[in-house]
Amino acid sequence: MANDPAGVCGGVRAGWERAVASGKPGQIAAAREAAKRLSGPCPELQRRIAKFDLEARRQIERERAEKKEAARLAAARARQQDITLRAPPQLTYPAPMPRPLTFEELCERGDAKACGDAAEQFWVGSSTVPIDLNKAMTLYERACRGGSAGDCGILGLKFEFGRGPAKDLVKARYFYNLACEGGVPLGCHDAADMARLIDVNPDRAMITRLYGTACDGGVPEACEQLGDQHFDGNWVEKSFPKAAQFYRLACETDPESGACLKWAKMLFDGRGIPADGKRAAQIFEQGCKNGQLESCDLLGEAFESGEGVPQDDKKAVALWKPACEQGYLLSCQHFGLMLIEGAGVEKNEQLGFSFLNKACAEKISESCTVLSVALLSKDPSPKNKTKAFAAFQESCERGNYLGCGLWGSMFEDGWGTKPDPVRALELYEQSCESGLAAACASAAKLLERGRGKVKPDRYRATLLVERGLKLDPAREDLLQLREKLKRPAR
């Protein structure tokens, strides 16, 4: 397989940085998809994306932790009120009722849980308890040392986000580890995250083990992280079936988890697991209702293709148009194509091309490829061939394997450049190796008949045919070429 063209990683990395700087979910998602389509390793880009995902997830988890903390405080107040207001027993003789003990007094008597409740009182404050963050931290630590593992996790959060004490990730990690050792699954997950953030050479086996403990304990974020590791082959053996298994666990634990969309995409594509378009479409629909634009886009693809739902171009358009208007650029691409073809909407080529240009202008390589194909279909003039050649080149260099395959066809046919069968074959093989069955077919045909400096090579052609049929077992031109290659050469 030919190496990636020079500058691929840098180009995709620059696109990722622009998308993050924009803050637009649609551009970030599209840039992430471009990174996934890279045919070669780009460790610096992968590190940046992983760090972005980790920080985003930690922010979400912090908000969840704050909600849990508020709920716990409310329960503590209710508990205190219950102690205070509980009716005294009926006595047959007068006797003074003892004053109910405060959480702080119970803490002094060795009740670790009460130490945590008292800490929350001093943390938030009330009409009877003044805010005293230093005292609260002392009580939290006392609760943690006394065996209240949940309060160890709260201390970890305080130090991680610098709420009260100064931000200190080393201390945060220490208390998360104590929470984990005390049987709090979320503490194991947070300890693993801290190790990834602060260790120069993280212990991969330990981190994976911590995520596994957290996942077994019902922490969906940990299951999703394990799914990501198996999907990308990061620190563990690459395995789509295992990735799907962990995504499913995370989704079933938390139906609003991002793992649901990842699982649904694997179900939709049949990647590593039996395809189930119906189940995938159900998850896309729920995600779309929850405001996930990528889910809306994928549900539109389901309706357009008829995978898992009845084929309905109008419903596809009804999903893509608003998603595009909200900034999801791949939906602009899909909506633009429907306008050009007049599928599910009144035909309007001018407006359709404007949507494709909008997506391409934001450096969405797939959209630039689609735009060029549409232009060539409408008018294969020398001007459009030159434009298409440049667009396919840029798309390929940004890691889009479809762009590489189409760029190869330009070299084979001499469109926008001089014919170059050797370069065409290199690009076809690169695209084939990345997962495009059509490119496998193009490379195999070129090798079967030979052209220019590309000499006939039936053995290599057969290998490419088999590779393509693994990707698309029903592809007719590959099946026909397989039979042709079985017959003796003339």
Side-chain angles (χ1 to χ4, degrees), residues 317-354:
V317 168
L319 287 159
W320 285 333
K321 186 173 184 291
C324 171
E325 291 169 347
Q326 294 177 67
Y328 195 75
L329 295 173
L330 287 178
S331 290
C332 297
Q333 169 193 310
H334 295 141
F335 181 47
L337 279 176
M338 299 300 268
L339 284 165
I340 291 171
E341 296 170 1
V345 66
E346 184 178 352
K347 187 171 183 175
N348 188 329
E349 289 190 353
Q350 183 177 356
L351 184 60
F353 277 109
S354 72

Side-chain angles (χ1 to χ4, degrees), residues 102-152:
T102 64
F103 287 133
E104 191 174 4
E105 290 169 334
L106 289 169
C107 175
E108 291 296 330
R109 295 190 177 195
D111 185 338
K113 178 70 167 59
C115 294
D117 291 336
E120 293 206 27
Q121 286 185 326
F122 282 106
W123 187 269
V124 179
S126 67
S127 58
T128 58
V129 180
I131 293 177
D132 188 336
L133 299 187
N134 290 331
K135 192 168 187 177
M137 291 298 293
T138 299
L139 287 165
Y140 275 131
E141 186 162 356
R142 188 169 179 178
C144 174
R145 304 290 184 190
S148 179
D151 289 297
C152 298

Side-chain angles (χ1 to χ4, degrees), residues 64 220 224 247-264 279 282-288 290 292 295:
R64 289 181 178 175
E224 181 178 359
Y247 288 149
R248 179 176 181 173
L249 276 173
C251 183
E252 290 176 345
T253 304
D254 179 7
E256 294 186 5
S257 166
C260 294
L261 179 57
K262 296 174 182 177
W263 179 39
R279 182 74 181 102
Q282 291 170 347
I283 299 173
F284 293 152
E285 183 175 13
Q286 186 58 50
C288 186
N290 292 338
Q292 297 174 356
S295 292

